[in-house]
Amino acid sequence: MRYEIDSILVREDQIRDRVSVIGRDISELYRGKSLVMVGILKGAVMFLSDLARAVDKDVDVSFDFMSVSSYGKSTESSGVVRIVKDLDSDIRGKDVLIVEDIVDSGLTLSYLLQVLNHREPASLSVCALLDKPERRKVQVPINFRGFVIPDAFVVGYGLDAGGRWRHLPSIWSVRPVQD
Ligand code: 5GP
């Protein structure tokens, strides 16, 4: 299926404002502590890099990354989650924040929480830029949330459709093109 971009759901300035509020919330909660921010590749790259810069210097921040299998060219979750790239560091005893682009069915996050909890971090929290609660199949905790959006497939600000449109500064919905 081919897609074209349709309309803006979340503007660049709205993302900027929200990211700075979440950054302040994270700063308050983790002040004086070490925090491992775990970005989920590739979708969370833009969000993680902006969010980390909104966290103040009194939090000792480090980054790590994980990559899990996702939808590929389709827009539907297969329900199958596989680790493609694991963390570089041991998170045992550390405060960990998973930074996700979007929570849809919740299957990916549920799997990540299970895998990372098993490694016995001191704490494990979740920050998701976008939340599509209508599509949820499993309940997952989201400690910091950017925006709740309706059931639409979205691209931009790190999110893609078949590898395209990650570079857009705003979040757009896409629509299928009839061939
Ligand atoms: P879940 O496992 O919650 O169904 O889906 C999580 C992953 O699916 C996200 O990290 C993202 O990679 C992908 N995903 C879910 N909804 C969307 C969407 O609207 N747009 C894009 N580009 N990816 C999505």
Side-chain angles (χ1 to χ4, degrees):
M1 181 116 54
R2 280 204 312 123
Y3 292 92
E4 60 187 17
I5 51 174
D6 189 7
S7 54
I8 289 193
L9 273 188
V10 190
R11 292 189 317 269
E12 189 178 356
D13 60 299
Q14 293 174 304
I15 297 173
R16 198 183 313 118
D17 291 350
R18 190 75 193 112
V19 164
S20 94
V21 170
I22 299 172
R24 271 199 299 265
D25 292 346
I26 290 173
S27 303
E28 241 166 64
L29 198 70
Y30 294 98
R31 181 154 292 125
K33 294 187 174 178
S34 295
L35 176 66
V36 185
M37 296 178 79
V38 172
I40 309 304
L41 298 171
K42 301 172 185 164
V45 162
M46 303 270 190
F47 182 39
L48 176 79
S49 66
D50 285 342
L51 182 64
R53 283 177 286 182
V55 175
D56 76 38
K57 61 176 177 2
D58 299 329
V59 186
D60 179 16
V61 171
S62 61
F63 293 172
D64 209 334
F65 295 93
M66 261 181 116
S67 178
V68 291
S69 60
S70 62
Y71 298 169
K73 282 183 183 161
S74 156
T75 58
E76 276 297 315
S77 176
S78 62
V80 178
V81 183
R82 185 170 59 89
I83 296 179
V84 176
K85 185 225 167 287
D86 206 339
L87 297 177
D88 293 331
S89 52
D90 186 4
I91 56 164
R92 185 181 306 267
K94 306 245 175 89
D95 290 303
V96 175
L97 180 66
I98 298 175
V99 180
E100 254 289 27
D101 52 0
I102 187 164
V103 181
D104 187 22
S105 68
L107 291 168
T108 307
L109 187 54
S110 160
Y111 174 78
L112 283 169
L113 284 167
Q114 199 185 313
V115 166
L116 297 185
N117 259 323
H118 200 70
R119 299 179 189 180
E120 300 177 342
S123 69
L124 182 61
S125 299
V126 174
C127 179
L129 175 68
L130 302 171
D131 181 9
K132 285 199 277 194
E134 285 169 46
R135 305 237 322 158
R136 203 70 93 248
K137 288 186 183 149
V138 285
Q139 288 313 309
V140 280
I142 302 178
N143 307 81
F144 306 94
R145 180 187 282 101
F147 302 91
V148 173
I149 60 166
D151 177 10
F153 196 77
V154 296
V155 298
Y157 198 66
L159 290 128
D160 74 311
R164 301 176 69 195
W165 298 308
R166 288 192 199 276
H167 66 292
L168 302 178
S170 301
I171 309 280
W172 295 72
S173 59
V174 293
R175 60 164 175 252
V177 182
Q178 305 301 336
D179 288 313

